[in-house]
Structures are given as structure tokens and as C-alpha cells.
Amino acid sequence: MDEPETLYPSDNPDMKFVKQVQKLHRLTVYGRWLFVGFLWLTIAPWCLWGLREEIALWRQYFTWVAVRYGLYFHPFATLGLAFCIGMTVAVLVWQSRNILFGLPQQDKERLEKQVFRIRQQGPSHPLWKWICQ
């Protein structure tokens, strides 16, 4: 991912454009991980607080039945934890796919279109300073 030739073949001779697309992709990755971190810092503590009595019970007498019933009788905490875990797994799978197989053509085109829009709008776009400078 460090070399522009491997991530984006030389379809577009403008290396500055290729670097800007790479910056946008990097910002997308950082944004997804920041969102996951935000979830774990906000929703997960609230969910774990709701399960605090069950967690104390699990620490004394751990059984999978106790976990099942603890999660069953606290649906909001279960949904919150499931959402945090699901988003984490989704970002891991997405990023792993991009690392192992490269970006799909559809994602490359989407990033290129977005860079074109950022360039057209100019400095008034919120991502201008992150992408074009």
C-alpha cells in the first residue's frame, strides 16, 4: 500500500491524483477505526454497566447457560455489545480484504469520483486540506 503502482495501476498518469486517492482511502480507514473506537468508548461501557451483576455472577460460577440468560434478560445491553462487536468485525474484514486482495474496482472508482468532487469544490470542502494539500 506504500507504492502507488501496486494499489492503483497506472491508468491515470497523474501521480498527484493517485496520492490524493490514497490519502482519501487512508482517511476512510482511519475514520472507520475512529468510529469503532468511539463505539467501544461510549456504548460498550454502558452495556457492561448494565450487565455488572451478571458479570459478578459469571466470575464466581461461569457457565454458558448463565451467560445466555444474562444476555437474554438484558436485551439493550446485548444489542449494544453485539453492535460494537459487529462493527469491529466488519471493519476488520473490510480492511483485511483490502490488504489481501486490493481495493475492488468499484471502491477505486468511488474514491476517484470523491477526489474529483473535492478538487472541484476547492478549499471550501471539509476534506480539502486533508486530501489536496
Side-chain angles (χ1 to χ4, degrees):
M1 195 156 118
D2 294 332
E3 298 178 20
E5 295 82 26
T6 59
L7 186 56
Y8 302 101
S10 59
D11 296 334
N12 191 340
D14 185 11
M15 290 305 289
K16 191 174 184 179
F17 176 75
V18 171
K19 291 219 181 265
Q20 290 173 346
V21 171
Q22 285 180 339
K23 283 182 183 179
L24 182 60
H25 179 258
R26 194 174 312 122
L27 279 175
T28 304
V29 171
Y30 291 156
R32 288 182 184 213
W33 281 115
L34 280 173
F35 179 67
V36 167
F38 174 77
L39 290 177
W40 280 104
L41 290 174
T42 56
I43 294 177
W46 175 78
C47 296
L48 292 173
W49 182 258
L51 290 170
R52 66 189 179 277
E53 288 136 7
E54 275 68 20
I55 292 172
L57 179 67
W58 299 341
R59 291 184 67 196
Q60 291 176 358
Y61 306 103
F62 181 81
T63 63
W64 288 109
V65 174
V67 173
R68 179 177 175 222
Y69 280 105
L71 294 176
Y72 180 78
F73 287 109
H74 295 86
F76 292 120
T78 303
L79 286 175
L81 285 176
F83 184 66
C84 291
I85 292 169
M87 288 302 296
T88 303
V89 170
V91 172
L92 277 172
V93 169
W94 173 80
Q95 190 172 4
S96 298
R97 182 207 58 188
N98 291 344
I99 291 170
L100 294 174
F101 304 116
L103 281 174
Q105 189 63 32
Q106 184 179 7
D107 288 350
K108 289 179 189 177
E109 292 171 1
R110 181 187 55 80
L111 289 169
E112 290 171 356
K113 286 179 185 177
Q114 198 169 353
V115 168
F116 278 130
R117 283 187 298 222
I118 292 170
R119 281 179 157 188
Q120 285 177 348
Q121 188 172 340
S124 63
H125 194 281
L127 295 176
W128 170 265
K129 68 178 180 178
W130 295 93
I131 304 298
C132 296
Q133 289 181 347

